[in-house]
Amino acid sequence: MATTRRADMFTADGKPSEDDPRENGPTLADERTTLVEAVRTARLTLEMKCAGLDAEAMARRSVEPSTMSLLGLVRHLAEVERATFRVLMAGQDVPKLYCSETNRDGDFDDAVADPQMVAQAWEAWRAEVDFATRYVAEAPSLDITGDDPLNLHGSGGGQMSLRDVLVGMIWEYGRHMGHVDLLRERIDGRIGQ
């Protein structure tokens, strides 16, 4: 008889419960609250699925030739948060954190098993998340726009509303949480909701 593997890692009983900080958020809420909650829970999922891992595990690659790792994903998502909220929406002229014209995949390629690098990646990601959270909370409306003339964010080469940006962030995290699931399972066999 085959054994069925179930989510086992993030709550005491492996089921949605009070132990899971992603559960029991606002329901039947307005549009802004709903979008913000979806982004918040996606961000929490990244943290939860990386919890308890050392630098070696965080930097472990998926399968060759990929350079994807949990550490690379934290660095990548810090870049995405920064480019989306600081650059696109707030109009700040800030440099990229890990990537450049000559090293377009520096977020993944340069992610190595160094405890200091892991700590710095989490620090950068949290700083960008904090900025984004404040920016969204202080925005007068989801209709405010940022300009994306080079179509770096999927605008088609024009204006993007904060609403579109939040939906894009949900999509970005959702896409990468599948990667995170597989990477974590490869590291220690653990899976979770």
Side-chain angles (χ1 to χ4, degrees), residues 27-154:
T27 57
L28 303 175
D30 61 51
E31 180 183 24
R32 182 192 294 246
T33 303
T34 300
L35 292 172
V36 166
E37 179 64 8
V39 173
R40 183 190 76 82
T41 59
R43 290 169 175 153
L44 272 173
T45 300
L46 175 66
E47 288 187 288
M48 291 172 71
K49 291 191 179 207
C50 293
L53 297 176
D54 63 16
E56 186 280 324
M58 286 291 292
R60 187 173 302 160
R61 308 291 188 193
S62 58
V63 293
E64 290 192 17
S66 176
T67 60
M68 187 176 290
S69 66
L70 291 172
L71 176 56
L73 284 165
V74 171
R75 290 162 51 104
H76 172 72
L77 290 165
E79 284 280 26
V80 171
E81 294 271 2
R82 184 178 188 92
T84 302
F85 292 101
R86 286 191 195 269
V87 178
L88 173 66
M89 294 307 296
Q92 293 183 2
D93 184 16
V94 294
K96 292 185 176 190
L97 295 167
Y98 307 108
C99 301
S100 67
E101 290 300 318
T102 59
N103 189 7
R104 294 186 62 196
D105 293 319
D107 44 1
F108 290 105
D109 293 348
D110 298 341
V112 297
D114 174 1
Q116 186 174 355
M117 180 178 282
V118 173
Q120 288 171 343
W122 281 116
E123 184 179 310
W125 179 79
R126 286 186 181 104
E128 297 307 323
V129 167
D130 289 347
F131 178 88
T133 300
R134 283 190 314 275
Y135 181 87
V136 173
E138 294 169 3
S141 161
L142 294 178
D143 295 321
I144 65 169
T145 61
D147 192 21
D148 183 27
L150 301 177
N151 192 28
L152 299 175
H153 300 273

Side-chain angles (χ1 to χ4, degrees), residues 45-46 49-50 68 70 73 77 175-185:
T45 300
L46 175 66
K49 291 191 179 207
C50 293
M68 187 176 290
L70 291 172
L73 284 165
L77 290 165
R175 175 176 181 249
H176 290 308
M177 288 311 99
H179 300 136
V180 169
D181 283 337
L182 293 171
L183 286 162
R184 180 65 194 240
E185 186 175 7

